[in-house]
Each structure stands twice: as C-alpha cells, then as structure tokens.
Amino acid sequence: GDTLAGSSDFAAASEMIPDSVTGLFWLDIDQTIPLLDAAGAFDDPDAAELKANMEPIDWIVGWSTAGDTPTSEIFVHVPENG
C-alpha cells in the first residue's frame, strides 16, 4: 500500500516485533534505492557496488526492548527468489 499501515511487507515484519518495544526501525529497500539513486548516492563506483548488494533485500526491521535484559534485534528480509 501507499502507507505503512497498508504495506504487506510491514505487516509480515510486524509479526516478529514484540508487543512492547522501546524503539522501532523500518526500512523498505524497494522504496529507498530509487530515492538514493535520484540523490546521486550511487554515482561513485564504490557506491554502485553497495547498490548491487542492496537490491536483493526487500526490507529491514529492527527494535529494542527494555527490562532486566534490554535487547536489540535486526532482521534483513531477502526473498527466496532474491
């Protein structure tokens, strides 16, 4: 969808997120690459390699939790056909 709430990718990622978090990070790579490309972020030859490495990734989600043992977790989703 056009909103985070309407995103099937975010819906899939949110199934992994605990009910109570202290911080949340979401990055839709399919939306991010064109923005970075338009800004010239991949013009450098080294950055072009970064773009190639990013292309198989669908999304990245991360969060932190509090409590006696605070944790941070990050998941990178690469589809099986990616």
Side-chain angles (χ1 to χ4, degrees):
D2 290 339
T3 65
L4 188 57
S7 167
S8 60
D9 286 340
F10 185 73
S14 66
E15 292 178 11
M16 296 185 289
I17 301 170
D19 292 335
S20 179
V21 298
T22 55
L24 179 65
F25 172 82
W26 167 258
L27 186 61
D28 183 335
I29 298 297
D30 290 336
Q31 299 288 325
T32 303
I33 289 176
L35 293 172
L36 292 172
D37 214 357
F42 300 121
D43 291 347
D44 181 90
D46 292 332
E49 182 179 354
L50 172 62
K51 179 182 177 183
N53 290 334
M54 289 174 63
E55 286 176 338
I57 300 169
D58 272 352
W59 46 263
I60 301 171
V61 65
W63 60 83
S64 59
T65 61
D68 292 338
T69 308
T71 63
S72 295
E73 297 184 58
I74 296 174
F75 290 88
V76 178
H77 183 261
V78 178
E80 290 183 33
N81 61 354

